[in-house]
Amino acid sequence: MKIKMEERTKDLPAVWMEDEKVKMIDQRYLPQELKFFTAEDYEDIHKAIKDMMVRGAPAIGVTAAFGIAQAKLQEKDIEEAADHIKSARPTAYDLFYAVDHMLANLDEPTKKAKEYSEMIKEKCRRIGKYGNELIKDGHDILTHCNAGALATIDYGTALAPMRAANKAGKKIHVYVDETRPRLQGARLTAWELYNEDIPHSVIVDNASGHYIQRGEIDMVIVGTDRIVANGDIANKIGTYEKAVLAKENDIPFYVAAPVTTYDKNIKEGMKIPIEEREEKEVREINGLSITPEGSPVKNPAFDVTPAKYIDGYITEKGIFSTSELKDIF
Ligand code: MRU
């Protein structure tokens, strides 16, 4: 089923706060249905993040910030709320950054959480502005997973330069990896690009090498869940392969992220905690079993791309090389 035109959500944030309630698009149902979830307390915030009603590092961070504000307004034990929210998912650094930011700003909690959300939006706009400079008229760009408005409240990180380039009148085309097992590319990135009339094609995860080899892709731009001190990154499972393919075929590979994703306390990518999700995500597609019941399954949600494969980091402060990273955050 196609979402009706009037339900297109160009101006709808992924997550917002109304009075003491935290509201969000329930991303599990897109693109077939536009449904919403209301978090009444921090248990709901934990559930929304864990069950991936909201996902994508900056959006997880904003949801957590709203969750802390809500807990404070409800006079809950804040340390307990913070620990519970932080335990929802292990990889996206924004979750920890946002909770710690709120713990240091507990006066006027709603105002501070809303400012945090606005700050993320502004950073994404700036990522778009800088990233646009890398994109030439006629470029074909590959992206993996969803690092768009849904993953960041508004505008996106990896999708921000594409939005800005499209707005500037450049003719671009985006190759969208479907991103098994949860299909964030096919369901969410495609939905966002479709809503904005940005030309794109959804491809199965195994097809990007084919197009890169034939010279049909000019660059790769992805988001990230965590950048660490030496410039290694963790992003959606499958990102590493794309980076290696890009290097082998001499096309640039860029990572777009705000400062809230940068964890300078971890030295190298192999130390990043990688989330393992439930077997069901691999075993089933839309509730339909696709594997023999007895076959064991593994389901890491992220992988690590070493800095040597990354040509630049598109940030709210500009575009930087690995060696420049430590000076900007
Ligand atoms: O498991 P998800 O959907 O939360 O994974 C999201 C990603 O891997 C994104 O690329 C990343 O969080 C950056 S979002 C701007």
Side-chain angles (χ1 to χ4, degrees):
M1 192 181 89
K2 212 167 169 181
I3 298 285
K4 289 192 219 98
M5 293 296 280
E6 62 269 25
E7 287 177 338
R8 289 181 175 202
T9 59
K10 253 182 206 168
D11 300 318
L12 191 63
V15 186
W16 67 100
M17 194 165 180
E18 259 174 46
D19 304 321
E20 271 183 31
K21 303 207 187 298
V22 183
K23 303 198 168 183
M24 64 196 77
I25 298 176
D26 188 338
Q27 300 185 28
R28 296 172 304 175
Y29 297 99
L30 287 173
Q32 281 82 9
E33 284 178 87
L34 185 59
K35 285 192 181 185
F36 299 92
F37 176 73
T38 300
E40 305 281 348
D41 56 19
Y42 73 79
E43 296 280 352
D44 282 351
I45 295 284
H46 173 97
K47 186 175 162 54
I49 296 171
K50 189 177 168 55
D51 293 352
M52 294 177 66
M53 298 176 203
V54 60
R55 27 70 47 207
I60 290 172
V62 171
T63 309
F66 285 144
I68 295 293
Q70 183 185 51
K72 175 76 180 160
L73 293 174
Q74 294 174 342
E75 298 178 2
K76 299 274 172 65
D77 181 325
I78 288 296
E79 290 301 326
E80 219 172 275
D83 286 350
H84 194 52
I85 292 172
K86 278 183 175 180
S87 71
R89 292 187 78 188
T91 307
Y93 187 65
D94 297 63
L95 173 58
F96 310 102
Y97 183 101
V99 171
D100 291 342
H101 175 85
M102 286 303 295
L103 291 180
N105 288 283
L106 281 176
D107 56 317
E108 301 184 284
T110 310
K111 182 167 171 272
K112 292 288 161 58
K114 284 186 177 169
E115 279 172 8
Y116 185 86
S117 176
E118 289 305 313
M119 175 189 83
I120 293 293
K121 282 195 211 169
E122 176 54 26
K123 287 180 189 302
C124 288
R125 295 268 161 188
R126 296 176 74 86
I127 287 170
K129 175 174 142 312
Y130 289 119
N132 177 25
E133 291 165 16
L134 297 167
I135 299 175
K136 293 200 173 64
D137 193 29
H139 261 172
D140 285 271
I141 307 158
L142 174 70
T143 193
H144 192 66
C145 195
N146 172 262
L150 290 164
T152 60
I153 306 304
D154 190 25
Y155 217 61
T157 54
L159 290 199
M162 303 174 208
R163 285 201 152 94
N166 181 63
K167 196 157 176 239
K170 294 177 193 171
K171 290 201 179 359
I172 61 162
H173 171 261
V174 185
Y175 282 90
V176 180
D177 283 336
E178 62 174 351
T179 319
R180 272 281 287 153
R182 294 188 67 101
L183 303 171
Q184 290 95 326
R187 296 190 303 105
L188 309 176
T189 300
W191 189 64
E192 289 193 34
L193 295 172
Y194 166 79
N195 281 345
E196 298 230 357
D197 297 316
I198 299 176
H200 62 283
S201 307
V202 178
I203 56 174
V204 297
D205 291 323
N206 316 332
S208 49
H210 169 79
Y211 289 110
I212 289 175
Q213 192 178 46
R214 276 152 209 260
E216 292 185 31
I217 293 176
D218 298 293
M219 60 164 65
V220 185
I221 309 181
V222 296
T224 174
D225 281 77
R226 202 182 290 224
I227 305 175
V228 294
N230 73 347
D232 294 350
I233 65 142
N235 193 47
K236 181 53 55 198
I237 192 76
T239 302
Y240 170 50
E241 299 174 4
K242 312 303 168 196
V244 175
L245 274 171
K247 182 130 213 121
E248 170 68 17
N249 290 276
D250 284 327
I251 62 166
F253 182 93
Y254 294 104
V255 174
V259 63
T260 52
T261 308
Y262 186 71
D263 177 5
K264 54 180 180 302
N265 296 318
I266 290 190
K267 286 200 172 56
E268 50 170 298
M270 285 303 154
K271 303 257 160 55
I272 300 173
I274 298 292
E275 179 182 12
E276 278 281 335
R277 292 193 62 89
E278 56 181 349
E279 292 190 0
K280 200 170 146 224
E281 291 182 352
V282 177
R283 287 193 182 287
E284 294 179 2
I285 296 183
N286 281 344
L288 203 72
S289 175
I290 57 161
T291 63
E293 246 174 57
S295 293
V297 154
K298 289 183 188 293
N299 187 17
F302 301 96
D303 62 20
V304 170
T305 299
K308 68 176 179 180
Y309 294 106
I310 301 171
D311 291 280
Y313 303 80
I314 309 169
T315 77
E316 67 271 40
K317 296 183 184 174
I319 300 164
F320 299 97
S321 66
T322 303
S323 61
E324 293 165 328
L325 257 191
K326 59 182 181 323
D327 302 323
I328 58 155
F329 289 119

